[in-house]
mmCIF file with all atom_site columns, all heavy atoms in Angstrom:
data_model
loop_
_atom_site.group_PDB
_atom_site.id
_atom_site.type_symbol
_atom_site.label_atom_id
_atom_site.label_alt_id
_atom_site.label_comp_id
_atom_site.label_asym_id
_atom_site.label_entity_id
_atom_site.label_seq_id
_atom_site.pdbx_PDB_ins_code
_atom_site.Cartn_x
_atom_site.Cartn_y
_atom_site.Cartn_z
_atom_site.occupancy
_atom_site.B_iso_or_equiv
_atom_site.pdbx_formal_charge
_atom_site.auth_seq_id
_atom_site.auth_comp_id
_atom_site.auth_asym_id
_atom_site.auth_atom_id
_atom_site.pdbx_PDB_model_num
ATOM 1   N N   . PHE H 1 51 ? -7.821  -10.592 4.566  1.00 0.00 ? 51 PHE H N   1
ATOM 2   C CA  . PHE H 1 51 ? -8.945  -9.630  4.558  1.00 0.00 ? 51 PHE H CA  1
ATOM 3   C C   . PHE H 1 51 ? -10.276 -10.314 4.706  1.00 0.00 ? 51 PHE H C   1
ATOM 4   O O   . PHE H 1 51 ? -11.386 -9.730  4.975  1.00 0.00 ? 51 PHE H O   1
ATOM 5   C CB  . PHE H 1 51 ? -8.920  -8.798  3.286  1.00 0.00 ? 51 PHE H CB  1
ATOM 6   C CG  . PHE H 1 51 ? -7.658  -8.055  3.150  1.00 0.00 ? 51 PHE H CG  1
ATOM 7   C CD1 . PHE H 1 51 ? -7.117  -7.850  1.804  1.00 0.00 ? 51 PHE H CD1 1
ATOM 8   C CD2 . PHE H 1 51 ? -7.056  -7.419  4.187  1.00 0.00 ? 51 PHE H CD2 1
ATOM 9   C CE1 . PHE H 1 51 ? -5.962  -7.154  1.702  1.00 0.00 ? 51 PHE H CE1 1
ATOM 10  C CE2 . PHE H 1 51 ? -5.909  -6.688  4.058  1.00 0.00 ? 51 PHE H CE2 1
ATOM 11  C CZ  . PHE H 1 51 ? -5.403  -6.578  2.792  1.00 0.00 ? 51 PHE H CZ  1
ATOM 12  N N   . THR H 1 52 ? -10.305 -11.618 4.602  1.00 0.00 ? 52 THR H N   1
ATOM 13  C CA  . THR H 1 52 ? -11.499 -12.402 4.910  1.00 0.00 ? 52 THR H CA  1
ATOM 14  C C   . THR H 1 52 ? -12.050 -12.176 6.332  1.00 0.00 ? 52 THR H C   1
ATOM 15  O O   . THR H 1 52 ? -13.254 -12.043 6.468  1.00 0.00 ? 52 THR H O   1
ATOM 16  C CB  . THR H 1 52 ? -11.249 -13.886 4.591  1.00 0.00 ? 52 THR H CB  1
ATOM 17  O OG1 . THR H 1 52 ? -10.772 -14.133 3.315  1.00 0.00 ? 52 THR H OG1 1
ATOM 18  C CG2 . THR H 1 52 ? -12.533 -14.689 4.835  1.00 0.00 ? 52 THR H CG2 1
ATOM 19  N N   . CYS H 1 53 ? -11.107 -12.158 7.282  1.00 0.00 ? 53 CYS H N   1
ATOM 20  C CA  . CYS H 1 53 ? -11.475 -11.971 8.657  1.00 0.00 ? 53 CYS H CA  1
ATOM 21  C C   . CYS H 1 53 ? -11.253 -10.535 9.138  1.00 0.00 ? 53 CYS H C   1
ATOM 22  O O   . CYS H 1 53 ? -11.964 -10.073 9.989  1.00 0.00 ? 53 CYS H O   1
ATOM 23  C CB  . CYS H 1 53 ? -10.714 -12.985 9.545  1.00 0.00 ? 53 CYS H CB  1
ATOM 24  S SG  . CYS H 1 53 ? -11.144 -14.665 9.304  1.00 0.00 ? 53 CYS H SG  1
ATOM 25  N N   . HIS H 1 54 ? -10.100 -9.920  8.666  1.00 0.00 ? 54 HIS H N   1
ATOM 26  C CA  . HIS H 1 54 ? -9.805  -8.620  9.174  1.00 0.00 ? 54 HIS H CA  1
ATOM 27  C C   . HIS H 1 54 ? -10.457 -7.491  8.371  1.00 0.00 ? 54 HIS H C   1
ATOM 28  O O   . HIS H 1 54 ? -10.193 -6.291  8.654  1.00 0.00 ? 54 HIS H O   1
ATOM 29  C CB  . HIS H 1 54 ? -8.262  -8.375  9.037  1.00 0.00 ? 54 HIS H CB  1
ATOM 30  C CG  . HIS H 1 54 ? -7.555  -9.277  10.060 1.00 0.00 ? 54 HIS H CG  1
ATOM 31  N ND1 . HIS H 1 54 ? -7.519  -9.057  11.464 1.00 0.00 ? 54 HIS H ND1 1
ATOM 32  C CD2 . HIS H 1 54 ? -6.819  -10.395 9.945  1.00 0.00 ? 54 HIS H CD2 1
ATOM 33  C CE1 . HIS H 1 54 ? -6.728  -9.940  12.025 1.00 0.00 ? 54 HIS H CE1 1
ATOM 34  N NE2 . HIS H 1 54 ? -6.310  -10.824 11.182 1.00 0.00 ? 54 HIS H NE2 1
ATOM 35  N N   . GLY H 1 55 ? -11.363 -7.829  7.525  1.00 0.00 ? 55 GLY H N   1
ATOM 36  C CA  . GLY H 1 55 ? -12.108 -6.856  6.818  1.00 0.00 ? 55 GLY H CA  1
ATOM 37  C C   . GLY H 1 55 ? -11.322 -6.310  5.543  1.00 0.00 ? 55 GLY H C   1
ATOM 38  O O   . GLY H 1 55 ? -10.126 -6.453  5.371  1.00 0.00 ? 55 GLY H O   1
ATOM 39  N N   . ALA H 1 56 ? -12.085 -5.593  4.641  1.00 0.00 ? 56 ALA H N   1
ATOM 40  C CA  . ALA H 1 56 ? -11.454 -5.146  3.336  1.00 0.00 ? 56 ALA H CA  1
ATOM 41  C C   . ALA H 1 56 ? -10.350 -4.265  3.648  1.00 0.00 ? 56 ALA H C   1
ATOM 42  O O   . ALA H 1 56 ? -10.343 -3.302  4.512  1.00 0.00 ? 56 ALA H O   1
ATOM 43  C CB  . ALA H 1 56 ? -12.551 -4.329  2.618  1.00 0.00 ? 56 ALA H CB  1
ATOM 44  N N   . ASN H 1 57 ? -9.116  -4.523  3.067  1.00 0.00 ? 57 ASN H N   1
ATOM 45  C CA  . ASN H 1 57 ? -7.911  -3.891  3.320  1.00 0.00 ? 57 ASN H CA  1
ATOM 46  C C   . ASN H 1 57 ? -7.428  -3.876  4.711  1.00 0.00 ? 57 ASN H C   1
ATOM 47  O O   . ASN H 1 57 ? -6.573  -3.155  5.057  1.00 0.00 ? 57 ASN H O   1
ATOM 48  C CB  . ASN H 1 57 ? -8.008  -2.462  2.786  1.00 0.00 ? 57 ASN H CB  1
ATOM 49  C CG  . ASN H 1 57 ? -8.349  -2.310  1.286  1.00 0.00 ? 57 ASN H CG  1
ATOM 50  O OD1 . ASN H 1 57 ? -7.974  -3.234  0.550  1.00 0.00 ? 57 ASN H OD1 1
ATOM 51  N ND2 . ASN H 1 57 ? -8.995  -1.244  0.911  1.00 0.00 ? 57 ASN H ND2 1
ATOM 52  N N   . GLY H 1 58 ? -7.994  -4.748  5.623  1.00 0.00 ? 58 GLY H N   1
ATOM 53  C CA  . GLY H 1 58 ? -7.545  -4.790  6.953  1.00 0.00 ? 58 GLY H CA  1
ATOM 54  C C   . GLY H 1 58 ? -8.242  -3.771  7.771  1.00 0.00 ? 58 GLY H C   1
ATOM 55  O O   . GLY H 1 58 ? -7.752  -3.393  8.874  1.00 0.00 ? 58 GLY H O   1
ATOM 56  N N   . MET H 1 59 ? -9.396  -3.278  7.414  1.00 0.00 ? 59 MET H N   1
ATOM 57  C CA  . MET H 1 59 ? -10.048 -2.110  8.175  1.00 0.00 ? 59 MET H CA  1
ATOM 58  C C   . MET H 1 59 ? -10.990 -2.661  9.261  1.00 0.00 ? 59 MET H C   1
ATOM 59  O O   . MET H 1 59 ? -11.499 -1.849  9.965  1.00 0.00 ? 59 MET H O   1
ATOM 60  C CB  . MET H 1 59 ? -10.879 -1.288  7.274  1.00 0.00 ? 59 MET H CB  1
ATOM 61  C CG  . MET H 1 59 ? -10.014 -0.663  6.035  1.00 0.00 ? 59 MET H CG  1
ATOM 62  S SD  . MET H 1 59 ? -8.743  0.492   6.688  1.00 0.00 ? 59 MET H SD  1
ATOM 63  C CE  . MET H 1 59 ? -9.780  1.906   7.118  1.00 0.00 ? 59 MET H CE  1
ATOM 64  N N   . GLY H 1 60 ? -11.120 -3.988  9.419  1.00 0.00 ? 60 GLY H N   1
ATOM 65  C CA  . GLY H 1 60 ? -11.894 -4.508  10.504 1.00 0.00 ? 60 GLY H CA  1
ATOM 66  C C   . GLY H 1 60 ? -13.348 -4.584  10.133 1.00 0.00 ? 60 GLY H C   1
ATOM 67  O O   . GLY H 1 60 ? -13.779 -4.364  9.030  1.00 0.00 ? 60 GLY H O   1
ATOM 68  N N   . GLY H 1 61 ? -14.111 -4.946  11.176 1.00 0.00 ? 61 GLY H N   1
ATOM 69  C CA  . GLY H 1 61 ? -15.574 -4.950  11.087 1.00 0.00 ? 61 GLY H CA  1
ATOM 70  C C   . GLY H 1 61 ? -16.239 -6.333  10.902 1.00 0.00 ? 61 GLY H C   1
ATOM 71  O O   . GLY H 1 61 ? -17.457 -6.378  10.770 1.00 0.00 ? 61 GLY H O   1
ATOM 72  N N   . VAL H 1 62 ? -15.438 -7.341  10.770 1.00 0.00 ? 62 VAL H N   1
ATOM 73  C CA  . VAL H 1 62 ? -16.043 -8.665  10.603 1.00 0.00 ? 62 VAL H CA  1
ATOM 74  C C   . VAL H 1 62 ? -16.434 -9.353  11.885 1.00 0.00 ? 62 VAL H C   1
ATOM 75  O O   . VAL H 1 62 ? -15.655 -9.333  12.900 1.00 0.00 ? 62 VAL H O   1
ATOM 76  C CB  . VAL H 1 62 ? -14.989 -9.588  9.887  1.00 0.00 ? 62 VAL H CB  1
ATOM 77  C CG1 . VAL H 1 62 ? -15.568 -11.040 9.788  1.00 0.00 ? 62 VAL H CG1 1
ATOM 78  C CG2 . VAL H 1 62 ? -14.622 -9.150  8.571  1.00 0.00 ? 62 VAL H CG2 1
ATOM 79  N N   . ALA H 1 63 ? -17.673 -9.722  12.105 1.00 0.00 ? 63 ALA H N   1
ATOM 80  C CA  . ALA H 1 63 ? -18.187 -10.215 13.347 1.00 0.00 ? 63 ALA H CA  1
ATOM 81  C C   . ALA H 1 63 ? -17.424 -11.510 13.782 1.00 0.00 ? 63 ALA H C   1
ATOM 82  O O   . ALA H 1 63 ? -17.193 -12.310 12.878 1.00 0.00 ? 63 ALA H O   1
ATOM 83  C CB  . ALA H 1 63 ? -19.747 -10.490 13.175 1.00 0.00 ? 63 ALA H CB  1
ATOM 84  N N   . ASN H 1 64 ? -17.219 -11.547 15.066 1.00 0.00 ? 64 ASN H N   1
ATOM 85  C CA  . ASN H 1 64 ? -16.620 -12.778 15.684 1.00 0.00 ? 64 ASN H CA  1
ATOM 86  C C   . ASN H 1 64 ? -17.349 -13.148 16.931 1.00 0.00 ? 64 ASN H C   1
ATOM 87  O O   . ASN H 1 64 ? -16.886 -12.873 18.067 1.00 0.00 ? 64 ASN H O   1
ATOM 88  C CB  . ASN H 1 64 ? -15.141 -12.506 15.982 1.00 0.00 ? 64 ASN H CB  1
ATOM 89  C CG  . ASN H 1 64 ? -14.367 -13.836 16.286 1.00 0.00 ? 64 ASN H CG  1
ATOM 90  O OD1 . ASN H 1 64 ? -14.952 -14.880 16.159 1.00 0.00 ? 64 ASN H OD1 1
ATOM 91  N ND2 . ASN H 1 64 ? -13.212 -13.702 16.845 1.00 0.00 ? 64 ASN H ND2 1
ATOM 92  N N   . PRO H 1 65 ? -18.511 -13.837 16.790 1.00 0.00 ? 65 PRO H N   1
ATOM 93  C CA  . PRO H 1 65 ? -19.260 -14.227 17.957 1.00 0.00 ? 65 PRO H CA  1
ATOM 94  C C   . PRO H 1 65 ? -18.437 -15.069 18.959 1.00 0.00 ? 65 PRO H C   1
ATOM 95  O O   . PRO H 1 65 ? -17.688 -15.927 18.596 1.00 0.00 ? 65 PRO H O   1
ATOM 96  C CB  . PRO H 1 65 ? -20.407 -15.074 17.342 1.00 0.00 ? 65 PRO H CB  1
ATOM 97  C CG  . PRO H 1 65 ? -20.492 -14.589 15.918 1.00 0.00 ? 65 PRO H CG  1
ATOM 98  C CD  . PRO H 1 65 ? -19.150 -14.224 15.509 1.00 0.00 ? 65 PRO H CD  1
ATOM 99  N N   . GLY H 1 66 ? -18.581 -14.726 20.203 1.00 0.00 ? 66 GLY H N   1
ATOM 100 C CA  . GLY H 1 66 ? -17.826 -15.484 21.214 1.00 0.00 ? 66 GLY H CA  1
ATOM 101 C C   . GLY H 1 66 ? -16.644 -14.697 21.827 1.00 0.00 ? 66 GLY H C   1
ATOM 102 O O   . GLY H 1 66 ? -16.194 -15.021 22.820 1.00 0.00 ? 66 GLY H O   1
#
Side-chain angles (χ1 to χ4, degrees):
F51 301 143
T52 303
C53 292
H54 291 286
N57 297 332
M59 300 299 286
V62 177
N64 190 12

